[in-house]
Amino acid sequence: MKKILLALTGALMLFAQTLRAEAVLTVDALGNGVFALIGQTGGRLYENHGLNANYGVIDTPQGSILIDSGASSVAAKVLETEVRELTGKAVKWVINTGSQDHRWLGNAYFGAQGAQIIALQRTATTQARLGKGQIEALARDLKEQMDGTVPAPAAQPLAGDTQTLTLGGRTLELRYFDHAHFAGDAVVWLPQEKILFSGDHIYVDRLLGILPESNAETWLKAFRQAIALQPQRIVPGHGRVCDVAQAQRETGDYLAFVVNDSRKLAEEMAGVDAAVAALQDAPAFAGLKNFADLHRGNVNRTYLRIEAGQ
């Protein structure tokens, strides 16, 4: 009886873990062996392993390509399980689109499994600067999940702004446009499939965050270059798989509103408090999740950066 009870307990625990994993990430199959793993649109939580972002999986005959590696070794294991279920293959290549914690702190885990970590030099440089502080900050919420997680930027980062990669017979492009959410943010473009993995250049369903590391003016320029590729489908950094029209409404139009109106107020020397008060009501974007929490701070940081640059 004791053995039976232990077996049942183990099975229940495994079932609960499976349910939690399913709640953390949902799969959107895009065809031709390309998948989007869609994370929650809220904050980084212990329960979601910091996987509140989107990731990509590309199947090849030689192994799987993973786009972004998660916020920790624990998060990386969750992604690894998803990849195995989708492709039946190990992760052979990891491509980093950015330097925010949940895009790359799983690198060390995959590197230890033999995967090649791929990133542009610009991205790796920012990662090296921020990694230690990101791990310390995440530990407040993710606690022991961060144990053993170490910063591991690509050992041989790629020079230049654009690199065409052939991995396992699949052709894709890694492209940098300009300083966006973080310095060195890049996109992964699949020219044959017309699919764009935008990283944090594009947010839908929730409001984007303009952080101290962000540059809203150049982010807007980068966004415009990304959609100029004319993707048929976009896997945004956050939110559901979308088209260009939704990306324009919820990212491009918002960035243009904040940048253009903040610039006008800065030219008038209105002051940051007056700028935030003048722009705090933005009905076109108020329906996006996290608007109440993020919008005023977005205006504040954009105005101050523009003012400092004048």
Side-chain angles (χ1 to χ4, degrees):
M1 178 62 72
K2 186 175 180 180
K3 289 182 178 179
I4 293 173
L5 288 173
L6 286 171
L8 286 171
T9 300
L12 287 170
M13 289 177 65
L14 181 61
F15 179 67
Q17 290 170 357
T18 301
L19 287 178
R20 285 197 297 271
E22 289 176 352
V24 169
L25 295 166
T26 59
V27 177
D28 195 337
L30 305 180
N32 198 25
V34 182
F35 304 89
L37 300 178
I38 306 299
Q40 299 170 354
T41 53
R44 294 166 189 72
L45 303 173
Y46 186 89
E47 292 76 15
N48 65 26
H49 315 297
L51 291 170
N52 63 327
N54 297 342
Y55 304 86
V57 179
I58 304 171
D59 190 15
T60 88
Q62 297 175 25
S64 300
I65 304 166
L66 175 65
I67 300 174
D68 293 328
S69 63
S72 68
S73 294
V74 170
K77 291 175 186 177
V78 174
L79 292 170
E80 180 182 47
T81 298
E82 294 283 354
V83 172
R84 283 279 190 183
E85 290 179 355
L86 290 171
T87 70
K89 302 183 183 77
V91 174
K92 188 167 183 180
W93 302 276
V94 173
I95 302 174
N96 294 158
T97 66
S99 306
Q100 195 164 25
D101 44 36
H102 49 209
R103 303 240 163 255
W104 73 282
L105 286 176
N107 284 2
Y109 175 81
F110 287 109
Q113 312 303 310
Q116 179 185 357
I117 310 300
I118 300 171
L120 295 177
Q121 179 66 66
R122 293 175 179 273
T123 310
T125 297
T126 306
Q127 291 171 346
R129 175 170 58 86
L130 298 176
K132 184 174 182 291
Q134 289 178 337
I135 291 171
E136 291 172 353
L138 282 173
R140 291 194 288 268
D141 292 320
L142 303 190
K143 301 180 175 61
E144 80 283 351
Q145 292 182 16
M146 298 306 298
D147 292 352
T149 299
V150 296
Q156 296 180 310
L158 305 174
D161 293 342
T162 300
Q163 290 285 343
T164 299
L165 307 171
T166 301
L167 306 175
R170 305 293 295 252
T171 298
L172 52 89
E173 297 173 8
L174 185 58
R175 292 187 173 218
Y176 167 82
F177 299 119
D178 214 323
H179 182 155
H181 190 51
F182 278 64
D185 279 356
V187 305
V188 174
W189 170 236
L190 278 59
Q192 179 180 342
E193 295 84 0
K194 301 294 183 186
I195 295 172
L196 177 70
F197 286 88
S198 76
D200 286 329
H201 289 79
I202 295 172
Y203 287 52
V204 300
D205 301 326
R206 57 149 293 184
L207 194 72
L208 59 85
I210 298 170
L211 305 179
E213 289 285 339
S214 307
N215 186 323
E217 289 184 285
T218 52
W219 187 347
L220 178 57
K221 295 176 184 177
F223 169 82
R224 289 169 173 163
Q225 292 179 73
I227 63 169
L229 294 170
Q230 299 184 321
Q232 293 179 1
R233 283 172 294 180
I234 299 169
V235 182
H238 300 265
R240 296 166 294 176
V241 174
C242 66
D243 58 13
V244 168
Q246 185 180 6
Q248 181 63 54
R249 288 194 308 272
E250 299 180 16
T251 291
D253 290 351
Y254 179 74
L255 285 169
F257 163 70
V258 172
V259 167
N260 294 337
D261 285 38
S262 293
R263 184 184 298 118
K264 181 175 183 294
L265 289 163
E267 289 170 352
E268 296 171 355
M269 296 184 288
V272 65
D273 292 339
V276 171
L279 302 182
Q280 65 181 340
D281 295 324
F285 313 105
L288 294 172
K289 187 173 180 179
N290 303 323
F291 177 87
D293 296 326
L294 297 178
H295 174 62
R296 289 171 62 89
N298 288 347
V299 174
N300 180 298
R301 283 184 279 275
T302 300
Y303 180 93
L304 288 175
R305 184 181 277 270
I306 290 172
E307 183 181 59
Q310 289 184 344

